[in-house]
Amino acid sequence: MPQAIYINGEYFSREDAKISVYDHGLLYGDGVFEGMRIYNSKVFALEDHLVRLYESARAIALEIPIDIDAMRTAVEETVKKNGLAEAYVRLVCTRGGNQLGLDPYKCEDPQVIIIVDKISLYPEKFYTEGLDLITASTIRNHPAALSPRIKSLNYLNNIMAKIEAIRAGCIEAVMLNHKGEVAECTGDNLFIVRHGRLLTPPIHAGILEGITRNTVMDLAREAGIEVAEETLTRHDLFIADECFLTGSAAEVIPAVRLDGRLIADGKVGPITRQLNELFRAHVSAGG
């Protein structure tokens, strides 16, 4: 089945899917997006993703040209049209625009783009053996400059940290906030296990409130695991019993080394394995 990309109510092939080079999304990173997983032909946590999309848009004063009900229908129809049972959805809303200049109030044609495609964020071996991480020198954007709760198209902060990781021979990096506390990784939320407790940085540490993150926390509580949102430092990661990352594209992936140091014994831990199994069962059952 040929790929069909949705742009403002119409469908285009990958080769013909185009927007203006004057679009604020391209020129200034002015827009918002969501990345969603498809399991068994159904978008996982679609409502949560759509609510976050519209909240992000509201936070940057971007008026999405269709309401949330119409957006839900557009996503579901695009998924159906592409015919992929296991895939990824990238939903993008840009400010539009047809001239140069920062003024967002001169942009009168916001764009809605929905892409459905396969994705493989990390090689499969890392799900069984675990990731190596570094601590990036690039910190998360100061929350007073740009709230990390806005899932915007401006990802240069994350990309600079990603470059550091790749140059260090890793594929992921831990990012600290302006206080030197652990925030998140370049594209994923972070968890550690310490003395049987599941710990993750709080929202005010400067993180995106991940939907997979929240799902894993709920699953852990249902399994009788104590869960807490606590301020974490690199010290906490160094002495952790286990560590793993979560994200819509990454799902649940273990980390076994940080800055050249083994985390515990350098092997995937039992709680990480348990939560990975619970998450896979949860999404396979339709969430």
Side-chain angles (χ1 to χ4, degrees):
M1 182 177 293
Q3 186 177 14
I5 296 175
Y6 174 106
I7 303 178
N8 298 334
E10 299 183 57
Y11 291 96
F12 301 88
S13 68
R14 181 172 184 155
E15 295 72 23
D16 294 329
K18 299 177 177 66
I19 62 171
S20 171
V21 295
Y22 286 91
D23 192 289
H24 257 222
L26 171 64
L27 295 179
Y28 307 110
D30 187 2
V32 295
F33 79 98
E34 285 292 324
M36 299 170 275
R37 277 279 190 169
I38 303 169
Y39 298 101
N40 299 322
S41 301
K42 181 181 178 181
V43 180
F44 174 66
L46 177 57
E47 292 302 313
D48 292 336
H49 281 286
L50 292 181
V51 167
R52 188 171 66 180
L53 177 79
Y54 279 80
E55 287 179 348
S56 292
R58 192 180 313 151
I60 67 168
L62 169 60
E63 189 70 33
I64 296 176
I66 59 177
D67 65 23
I68 196 167
D69 292 330
M71 186 70 81
R72 183 186 308 107
T73 299
V75 170
E76 291 172 343
E77 289 182 351
T78 304
V79 169
K80 184 176 181 180
K81 188 175 283 288
N82 281 276
L84 295 175
E86 309 288 327
Y88 180 79
V89 180
R90 174 58 61 96
L91 169 55
V92 180
C93 298
T94 77
R95 185 93 57 185
N98 58 13
Q99 57 185 298
L100 297 176
L102 285 174
D103 189 347
Y105 295 101
K106 292 182 179 180
C107 301
E108 299 177 350
D109 57 342
Q111 305 288 299
V112 176
I113 303 161
I114 306 171
I115 303 169
V116 176
D117 205 347
K118 293 185 177 295
I119 191 170
S120 178
L121 195 63
Y122 301 115
E124 186 59 34
K125 74 171 186 175
F126 290 120
Y127 288 89
T128 56
E129 300 175 10
L131 290 168
D132 284 8
L133 308 173
I134 65 160
T135 304
S137 62
T138 303
I139 66 168
R140 290 294 289 125
N141 287 331
H142 195 292
L146 178 66
S147 171
R149 298 182 69 182
I150 300 169
K151 199 168 176 68
S152 80
L153 298 181
N154 185 344
Y155 251 54
L156 189 56
N157 182 228
N158 308 65
I159 289 169
M160 295 305 293
K162 188 78 165 181
I163 289 171
E164 288 188 55
I166 293 169
R167 287 182 172 174
C170 303
I171 56 175
E172 190 53 276
V174 175
M175 300 185 72
L176 308 179
N177 63 20
H178 63 289
K179 298 178 181 179
E181 302 161 348
V182 172
E184 58 189 0
C185 292
T186 66
D188 305 310
N189 292 117
L190 182 144
F191 287 84
I192 64 169
V193 176
R194 181 69 173 158
H195 300 313
R197 301 173 69 229
L198 184 63
L199 307 176
T200 193
I203 302 302
H204 61 72
I207 70 168
L208 179 73
E209 187 176 1
I211 289 164
T212 303
R213 169 187 181 270
N214 290 345
T215 300
V216 167
M217 292 168 69
D218 289 342
L219 292 171
R221 292 187 181 103
E222 291 170 8
I225 300 169
E226 182 181 348
V227 179
E229 296 177 79
E230 293 185 0
T231 298
L232 301 177
T233 65
R234 291 175 72 219
H235 174 79
D236 295 302
L237 272 58
F238 287 140
I239 66 171
D241 299 320
E242 303 179 37
C243 179
F244 64 88
L245 316 181
T246 63
S248 293
E251 301 176 293
V252 178
I253 185 165
V256 295
R257 192 187 301 265
L258 174 65
D259 296 330
R261 306 186 192 188
L262 291 180
I263 297 172
D265 61 0
K267 297 179 181 179
V268 181
I271 290 180
T272 301
R273 292 186 187 279
Q274 179 186 6
L275 291 173
N276 189 26
E277 291 170 2
L278 288 172
F279 179 77
R280 291 184 180 276
H282 179 71
V283 298
S284 295

